[in-house]
Amino acid sequence: MARRKRTSQVLEKAVRRAASINSIDPNLNLGNGLTLPTFSSLIETMRTRENLYNTALSNLDKLYHEMLQTERELADMAEHMLLGVATQYGKSSVEYGMAGGVPKNQRRKGLRGESPVSNLEQPSFIASVNGNGSKNGNHNGNKAATAS
């Protein structure tokens, strides 16, 4: 998605105002540097900077898309390199593991519906609902409950 280009409402308003002031007097001088030529010059400076900014955004979009394309090419080549090592040395070889693959004989195959962590490794816990600070575990008539 391309970045949104900037348009300046201040610039558009200033252009309309300059056209209106120009109808009064093309060489209007209001003192303190407020002249129509100075105003028009600042309008052109703003227009130029806005165009440069929008061009920079377009160039940035182009660079971004080029980078993404190169990244896709790199991912494809990395995959092909690994497959090449697998073709030459085999998927169970040490070289395949050195290239970043998981050797075929080291892959874990779990049964369907079984989690990869064994039941012995899973922690068991006991949850209890106790009153805060009561001596016999009862609070407001509630008894302590345990679950396993």
Side-chain angles (χ1 to χ4, degrees), residues 15-138:
V15 168
R16 286 191 304 269
R17 181 157 297 156
S20 298
I21 293 172
N22 190 41
S23 66
I24 297 171
D25 182 5
N27 296 318
L28 185 65
N29 186 347
L30 301 172
N32 293 330
L34 299 175
T35 65
L36 187 57
T38 304
F39 189 49
S40 296
S41 174
L42 190 55
I43 287 171
E44 287 307 312
T45 300
M46 176 59 191
R47 184 175 285 138
T48 302
R49 293 216 173 136
E50 184 179 66
N51 287 337
L52 287 172
Y53 176 81
N54 289 333
T55 302
L57 286 180
S58 295
N59 290 334
L60 187 61
D61 285 337
K62 179 183 174 197
L63 289 172
Y64 178 70
H65 290 294
E66 289 172 355
M67 182 192 68
L68 291 179
Q69 177 62 33
T70 305
E71 185 178 44
R72 285 189 291 269
E73 291 172 11
L74 180 61
D76 286 345
M77 187 169 187
E79 183 180 8
H80 285 100
M81 294 293 288
L82 182 62
L83 291 174
V85 170
T87 301
Q88 187 162 353
Y89 295 99
K91 285 191 174 182
S92 295
S93 68
V94 173
E95 291 83 1
Y96 185 70
M98 290 170 61
V102 177
K104 201 173 186 179
N105 56 5
Q106 292 181 5
R107 292 187 188 143
R108 293 185 61 172
K109 294 183 181 178
L111 298 175
R112 256 186 216 171
E114 187 177 300
S115 67
V117 178
S118 70
N119 289 338
L120 296 175
E121 294 176 15
Q122 291 179 351
S124 61
F125 64 92
I126 298 175
S128 63
V129 180
N130 292 338
N132 292 334
S134 65
K135 292 180 183 177
N136 59 4
N138 296 335

Side-chain angles (χ1 to χ4, degrees), residues 138-143:
N138 296 335
H139 184 68
N140 293 338
N142 293 331
K143 292 186 177 181

